[in-house]
Amino acid sequence: MRIATRAGRTVLVSPDSATVVDLAKASEGEFGPDPRQVFDAWDALVRWYGAATIDFAAGDRYELSELEAPSSDPRQVFAIGLNYRDHADESGFTYPKQPAVFTKFLGSFAGPAGDLALAGETVDWEAELVVVIGKPTRNVAVEDAWSHVAGLTVGQDFSERTFQLAGPVPQFSLGKSFVGFSPQGPWLVTPDEVPDPDRLHISCTVNGETVQSSSTKQLIFPVSTLISHLSSVLELSPGDVIFTGTPSGVGGARKPPWFLKEGDVVETSIEGIGTMRHVCVKAQ
């Protein structure tokens, strides 16, 4: 199953991604239209979808720019730093002993296509696999963690490095939460629809040049470990969003550093999920 958010309403995405169907209308009001309500009833939705006959041929054609983050109103947002072996290696850091957790604020959420307003002269890219929680999750074991996942989507953790690293204490959350700095999409894909959720190819291009190309098998703390770790501290709620970290190839680690400039086109892709596209523009 694939779902997306369009005009604030949850929609079902056809298998070929050509059309969308309004979930509340298709389910005769049983689910949605509010995305948070959909995740609160996730298990029931999955059962309904398995038995339903959806007329996708009669669905709406759409543009990617019409779509919003699949879980557009989560209760909590988590992000993980330094979580790929190749990224830790390029950054010159030893592998962390436990996940380095921060947050990205909801005001930075955006959809899978559109303009990225450059908030400074050192804006960097970070392609990420994003996980959305599908049920209340507290003290879950690693081996049970995937059963608590609603789905996966593509994300970008855009970062204004100068702001992020300004001392005396780095401002990770604010430096990564300017407007538009947390795009996700194009849609949420349930784990059963991807080849192997623990081994997905992830990539990012800038103006067609590949700058990141790796696999989620490089994660130091895989999805199941992250969910178990976070849920040992607090309860995760349906719809909660987890940015799982970025692989090597970020601009700030290059010599000389390479940052985004006006007119650059950033495309972010994950195997079995989809691609986002953002055009860099001058901040107003």
Side-chain angles (χ1 to χ4, degrees), residues 88-102:
D89 292 342
E90 75 172 351
S91 301
F93 290 104
T94 57
Y95 301 164
K97 300 298 183 184
Q98 67 177 25
V101 182
F102 57 98

mmCIF file with all atom_site columns, all heavy atoms in Angstrom, residues 88-102:
data_model
loop_
_atom_site.group_PDB
_atom_site.id
_atom_site.type_symbol
_atom_site.label_atom_id
_atom_site.label_alt_id
_atom_site.label_comp_id
_atom_site.label_asym_id
_atom_site.label_entity_id
_atom_site.label_seq_id
_atom_site.pdbx_PDB_ins_code
_atom_site.Cartn_x
_atom_site.Cartn_y
_atom_site.Cartn_z
_atom_site.occupancy
_atom_site.B_iso_or_equiv
_atom_site.pdbx_formal_charge
_atom_site.auth_seq_id
_atom_site.auth_comp_id
_atom_site.auth_asym_id
_atom_site.auth_atom_id
_atom_site.pdbx_PDB_model_num
ATOM 1   N N   . ALA A 1 88  ? 30.418 8.368  8.785  1.00 0.00 ? 88  ALA A N   1
ATOM 2   C CA  . ALA A 1 88  ? 31.312 8.535  9.932  1.00 0.00 ? 88  ALA A CA  1
ATOM 3   C C   . ALA A 1 88  ? 32.764 8.523  9.468  1.00 0.00 ? 88  ALA A C   1
ATOM 4   O O   . ALA A 1 88  ? 33.592 9.314  9.939  1.00 0.00 ? 88  ALA A O   1
ATOM 5   C CB  . ALA A 1 88  ? 31.059 7.440  10.960 1.00 0.00 ? 88  ALA A CB  1
ATOM 6   N N   . ASP A 1 89  ? 33.064 7.637  8.511  1.00 0.00 ? 89  ASP A N   1
ATOM 7   C CA  . ASP A 1 89  ? 34.436 7.551  8.001  1.00 0.00 ? 89  ASP A CA  1
ATOM 8   C C   . ASP A 1 89  ? 34.848 8.846  7.302  1.00 0.00 ? 89  ASP A C   1
ATOM 9   O O   . ASP A 1 89  ? 35.957 9.365  7.533  1.00 0.00 ? 89  ASP A O   1
ATOM 10  C CB  . ASP A 1 89  ? 34.552 6.378  7.019  1.00 0.00 ? 89  ASP A CB  1
ATOM 11  C CG  . ASP A 1 89  ? 34.411 5.017  7.701  1.00 0.00 ? 89  ASP A CG  1
ATOM 12  O OD1 . ASP A 1 89  ? 34.568 4.950  8.934  1.00 0.00 ? 89  ASP A OD1 1
ATOM 13  O OD2 . ASP A 1 89  ? 34.139 4.033  6.984  1.00 0.00 ? 89  ASP A OD2 1
ATOM 14  N N   . GLU A 1 90  ? 33.966 9.404  6.452  1.00 0.00 ? 90  GLU A N   1
ATOM 15  C CA  . GLU A 1 90  ? 34.325 10.623 5.726  1.00 0.00 ? 90  GLU A CA  1
ATOM 16  C C   . GLU A 1 90  ? 34.432 11.825 6.661  1.00 0.00 ? 90  GLU A C   1
ATOM 17  O O   . GLU A 1 90  ? 35.144 12.781 6.380  1.00 0.00 ? 90  GLU A O   1
ATOM 18  C CB  . GLU A 1 90  ? 33.319 10.915 4.611  1.00 0.00 ? 90  GLU A CB  1
ATOM 19  C CG  . GLU A 1 90  ? 31.987 11.466 5.075  1.00 0.00 ? 90  GLU A CG  1
ATOM 20  C CD  . GLU A 1 90  ? 31.085 11.934 3.945  1.00 0.00 ? 90  GLU A CD  1
ATOM 21  O OE1 . GLU A 1 90  ? 31.547 12.005 2.786  1.00 0.00 ? 90  GLU A OE1 1
ATOM 22  O OE2 . GLU A 1 90  ? 29.900 12.228 4.228  1.00 0.00 ? 90  GLU A OE2 1
ATOM 23  N N   . SER A 1 91  ? 33.705 11.759 7.789  1.00 0.00 ? 91  SER A N   1
ATOM 24  C CA  . SER A 1 91  ? 33.715 12.865 8.745  1.00 0.00 ? 91  SER A CA  1
ATOM 25  C C   . SER A 1 91  ? 34.844 12.745 9.764  1.00 0.00 ? 91  SER A C   1
ATOM 26  O O   . SER A 1 91  ? 35.074 13.674 10.547 1.00 0.00 ? 91  SER A O   1
ATOM 27  C CB  . SER A 1 91  ? 32.366 12.922 9.489  1.00 0.00 ? 91  SER A CB  1
ATOM 28  O OG  . SER A 1 91  ? 31.306 13.089 8.572  1.00 0.00 ? 91  SER A OG  1
ATOM 29  N N   . GLY A 1 92  ? 35.529 11.606 9.768  1.00 0.00 ? 92  GLY A N   1
ATOM 30  C CA  . GLY A 1 92  ? 36.647 11.417 10.682 1.00 0.00 ? 92  GLY A CA  1
ATOM 31  C C   . GLY A 1 92  ? 36.246 11.107 12.105 1.00 0.00 ? 92  GLY A C   1
ATOM 32  O O   . GLY A 1 92  ? 37.036 11.331 13.035 1.00 0.00 ? 92  GLY A O   1
ATOM 33  N N   . PHE A 1 93  ? 35.029 10.561 12.302 1.00 0.00 ? 93  PHE A N   1
ATOM 34  C CA  . PHE A 1 93  ? 34.549 10.223 13.635 1.00 0.00 ? 93  PHE A CA  1
ATOM 35  C C   . PHE A 1 93  ? 34.549 8.714  13.837 1.00 0.00 ? 93  PHE A C   1
ATOM 36  O O   . PHE A 1 93  ? 34.362 7.944  12.889 1.00 0.00 ? 93  PHE A O   1
ATOM 37  C CB  . PHE A 1 93  ? 33.128 10.742 13.862 1.00 0.00 ? 93  PHE A CB  1
ATOM 38  C CG  . PHE A 1 93  ? 33.018 12.238 13.977 1.00 0.00 ? 93  PHE A CG  1
ATOM 39  C CD1 . PHE A 1 93  ? 32.530 12.994 12.919 1.00 0.00 ? 93  PHE A CD1 1
ATOM 40  C CD2 . PHE A 1 93  ? 33.404 12.884 15.141 1.00 0.00 ? 93  PHE A CD2 1
ATOM 41  C CE1 . PHE A 1 93  ? 32.424 14.370 13.018 1.00 0.00 ? 93  PHE A CE1 1
ATOM 42  C CE2 . PHE A 1 93  ? 33.308 14.261 15.254 1.00 0.00 ? 93  PHE A CE2 1
ATOM 43  C CZ  . PHE A 1 93  ? 32.813 15.016 14.189 1.00 0.00 ? 93  PHE A CZ  1
ATOM 44  N N   . THR A 1 94  ? 34.761 8.295  15.077 1.00 0.00 ? 94  THR A N   1
ATOM 45  C CA  . THR A 1 94  ? 34.572 6.892  15.418 1.00 0.00 ? 94  THR A CA  1
ATOM 46  C C   . THR A 1 94  ? 33.072 6.606  15.456 1.00 0.00 ? 94  THR A C   1
ATOM 47  O O   . THR A 1 94  ? 32.255 7.511  15.647 1.00 0.00 ? 94  THR A O   1
ATOM 48  C CB  . THR A 1 94  ? 35.195 6.550  16.780 1.00 0.00 ? 94  THR A CB  1
ATOM 49  O OG1 . THR A 1 94  ? 34.618 7.414  17.784 1.00 0.00 ? 94  THR A OG1 1
ATOM 50  C CG2 . THR A 1 94  ? 36.701 6.776  16.761 1.00 0.00 ? 94  THR A CG2 1
ATOM 51  N N   . TYR A 1 95  ? 32.697 5.353  15.283 1.00 0.00 ? 95  TYR A N   1
ATOM 52  C CA  . TYR A 1 95  ? 31.285 4.998  15.278 1.00 0.00 ? 95  TYR A CA  1
ATOM 53  C C   . TYR A 1 95  ? 30.700 5.200  16.668 1.00 0.00 ? 95  TYR A C   1
ATOM 54  O O   . TYR A 1 95  ? 31.282 4.780  17.667 1.00 0.00 ? 95  TYR A O   1
ATOM 55  C CB  . TYR A 1 95  ? 31.088 3.549  14.847 1.00 0.00 ? 95  TYR A CB  1
ATOM 56  C CG  . TYR A 1 95  ? 31.614 3.224  13.464 1.00 0.00 ? 95  TYR A CG  1
ATOM 57  C CD1 . TYR A 1 95  ? 31.813 1.912  13.063 1.00 0.00 ? 95  TYR A CD1 1
ATOM 58  C CD2 . TYR A 1 95  ? 31.910 4.236  12.538 1.00 0.00 ? 95  TYR A CD2 1
ATOM 59  C CE1 . TYR A 1 95  ? 32.293 1.606  11.803 1.00 0.00 ? 95  TYR A CE1 1
ATOM 60  C CE2 . TYR A 1 95  ? 32.390 3.944  11.282 1.00 0.00 ? 95  TYR A CE2 1
ATOM 61  C CZ  . TYR A 1 95  ? 32.586 2.617  10.917 1.00 0.00 ? 95  TYR A CZ  1
ATOM 62  O OH  . TYR A 1 95  ? 33.070 2.325  9.667  1.00 0.00 ? 95  TYR A OH  1
ATOM 63  N N   . PRO A 1 96  ? 29.538 5.830  16.762 1.00 0.00 ? 96  PRO A N   1
ATOM 64  C CA  . PRO A 1 96  ? 28.937 6.065  18.079 1.00 0.00 ? 96  PRO A CA  1
ATOM 65  C C   . PRO A 1 96  ? 28.517 4.757  18.744 1.00 0.00 ? 96  PRO A C   1
ATOM 66  O O   . PRO A 1 96  ? 28.204 3.767  18.080 1.00 0.00 ? 96  PRO A O   1
ATOM 67  C CB  . PRO A 1 96  ? 27.716 6.944  17.757 1.00 0.00 ? 96  PRO A CB  1
ATOM 68  C CG  . PRO A 1 96  ? 27.424 6.674  16.319 1.00 0.00 ? 96  PRO A CG  1
ATOM 69  C CD  . PRO A 1 96  ? 28.734 6.383  15.660 1.00 0.00 ? 96  PRO A CD  1
ATOM 70  N N   . LYS A 1 97  ? 28.496 4.769  20.072 1.00 0.00 ? 97  LYS A N   1
ATOM 71  C CA  . LYS A 1 97  ? 28.104 3.593  20.844 1.00 0.00 ? 97  LYS A CA  1
ATOM 72  C C   . LYS A 1 97  ? 26.595 3.480  20.977 1.00 0.00 ? 97  LYS A C   1
ATOM 73  O O   . LYS A 1 97  ? 26.065 2.396  21.224 1.00 0.00 ? 97  LYS A O   1
ATOM 74  C CB  . LYS A 1 97  ? 28.746 3.639  22.235 1.00 0.00 ? 97  LYS A CB  1
ATOM 75  C CG  . LYS A 1 97  ? 30.268 3.677  22.218 1.00 0.00 ? 97  LYS A CG  1
ATOM 76  C CD  . LYS A 1 97  ? 30.855 2.426  21.585 1.00 0.00 ? 97  LYS A CD  1
ATOM 77  C CE  . LYS A 1 97  ? 32.380 2.445  21.642 1.00 0.00 ? 97  LYS A CE  1
ATOM 78  N NZ  . LYS A 1 97  ? 32.973 1.264  20.942 1.00 0.00 ? 97  LYS A NZ  1
ATOM 79  N N   . GLN A 1 98  ? 25.905 4.606  20.861 1.00 0.00 ? 98  GLN A N   1
ATOM 80  C CA  . GLN A 1 98  ? 24.451 4.601  20.860 1.00 0.00 ? 98  GLN A CA  1
ATOM 81  C C   . GLN A 1 98  ? 23.973 5.716  19.943 1.00 0.00 ? 98  GLN A C   1
ATOM 82  O O   . GLN A 1 98  ? 24.739 6.635  19.624 1.00 0.00 ? 98  GLN A O   1
ATOM 83  C CB  . GLN A 1 98  ? 23.887 4.776  22.268 1.00 0.00 ? 98  GLN A CB  1
ATOM 84  C CG  . GLN A 1 98  ? 24.142 6.121  22.915 1.00 0.00 ? 98  GLN A CG  1
ATOM 85  C CD  . GLN A 1 98  ? 23.472 6.214  24.286 1.00 0.00 ? 98  GLN A CD  1
ATOM 86  O OE1 . GLN A 1 98  ? 23.219 5.209  24.941 1.00 0.00 ? 98  GLN A OE1 1
ATOM 87  N NE2 . GLN A 1 98  ? 23.188 7.426  24.706 1.00 0.00 ? 98  GLN A NE2 1
ATOM 88  N N   . PRO A 1 99  ? 22.735 5.663  19.461 1.00 0.00 ? 99  PRO A N   1
ATOM 89  C CA  . PRO A 1 99  ? 22.266 6.666  18.497 1.00 0.00 ? 99  PRO A CA  1
ATOM 90  C C   . PRO A 1 99  ? 22.363 8.091  19.026 1.00 0.00 ? 99  PRO A C   1
ATOM 91  O O   . PRO A 1 99  ? 22.049 8.367  20.190 1.00 0.00 ? 99  PRO A O   1
ATOM 92  C CB  . PRO A 1 99  ? 20.801 6.263  18.277 1.00 0.00 ? 99  PRO A CB  1
ATOM 93  C CG  . PRO A 1 99  ? 20.755 4.810  18.590 1.00 0.00 ? 99  PRO A CG  1
ATOM 94  C CD  . PRO A 1 99  ? 21.728 4.608  19.717 1.00 0.00 ? 99  PRO A CD  1
ATOM 95  N N   . ALA A 1 100 ? 22.837 8.995  18.154 1.00 0.00 ? 100 ALA A N   1
ATOM 96  C CA  . ALA A 1 100 ? 22.883 10.423 18.464 1.00 0.00 ? 100 ALA A CA  1
ATOM 97  C C   . ALA A 1 100 ? 21.570 11.039 17.976 1.00 0.00 ? 100 ALA A C   1
ATOM 98  O O   . ALA A 1 100 ? 21.328 11.144 16.773 1.00 0.00 ? 100 ALA A O   1
ATOM 99  C CB  . ALA A 1 100 ? 24.072 11.076 17.772 1.00 0.00 ? 100 ALA A CB  1
ATOM 100 N N   . VAL A 1 101 ? 20.718 11.443 18.910 1.00 0.00 ? 101 VAL A N   1
ATOM 101 C CA  . VAL A 1 101 ? 19.344 11.830 18.586 1.00 0.00 ? 101 VAL A CA  1
ATOM 102 C C   . VAL A 1 101 ? 19.148 13.341 18.746 1.00 0.00 ? 101 VAL A C   1
ATOM 103 O O   . VAL A 1 101 ? 19.585 13.939 19.723 1.00 0.00 ? 101 VAL A O   1
ATOM 104 C CB  . VAL A 1 101 ? 18.340 11.076 19.495 1.00 0.00 ? 101 VAL A CB  1
ATOM 105 C CG1 . VAL A 1 101 ? 16.899 11.439 19.118 1.00 0.00 ? 101 VAL A CG1 1
ATOM 106 C CG2 . VAL A 1 101 ? 18.565 9.566  19.405 1.00 0.00 ? 101 VAL A CG2 1
ATOM 107 N N   . PHE A 1 102 ? 18.485 13.939 17.754 1.00 0.00 ? 102 PHE A N   1
ATOM 108 C CA  . PHE A 1 102 ? 18.033 15.322 17.863 1.00 0.00 ? 102 PHE A CA  1
ATOM 109 C C   . PHE A 1 102 ? 16.654 15.381 17.217 1.00 0.00 ? 102 PHE A C   1
ATOM 110 O O   . PHE A 1 102 ? 16.041 14.345 16.945 1.00 0.00 ? 102 PHE A O   1
ATOM 111 C CB  . PHE A 1 102 ? 19.021 16.303 17.205 1.00 0.00 ? 102 PHE A CB  1
ATOM 112 C CG  . PHE A 1 102 ? 19.303 16.032 15.756 1.00 0.00 ? 102 PHE A CG  1
ATOM 113 C CD1 . PHE A 1 102 ? 18.631 16.731 14.761 1.00 0.00 ? 102 PHE A CD1 1
ATOM 114 C CD2 . PHE A 1 102 ? 20.263 15.096 15.372 1.00 0.00 ? 102 PHE A CD2 1
ATOM 115 C CE1 . PHE A 1 102 ? 18.885 16.495 13.416 1.00 0.00 ? 102 PHE A CE1 1
ATOM 116 C CE2 . PHE A 1 102 ? 20.520 14.847 14.026 1.00 0.00 ? 102 PHE A CE2 1
ATOM 117 C CZ  . PHE A 1 102 ? 19.832 15.546 13.055 1.00 0.00 ? 102 PHE A CZ  1
#
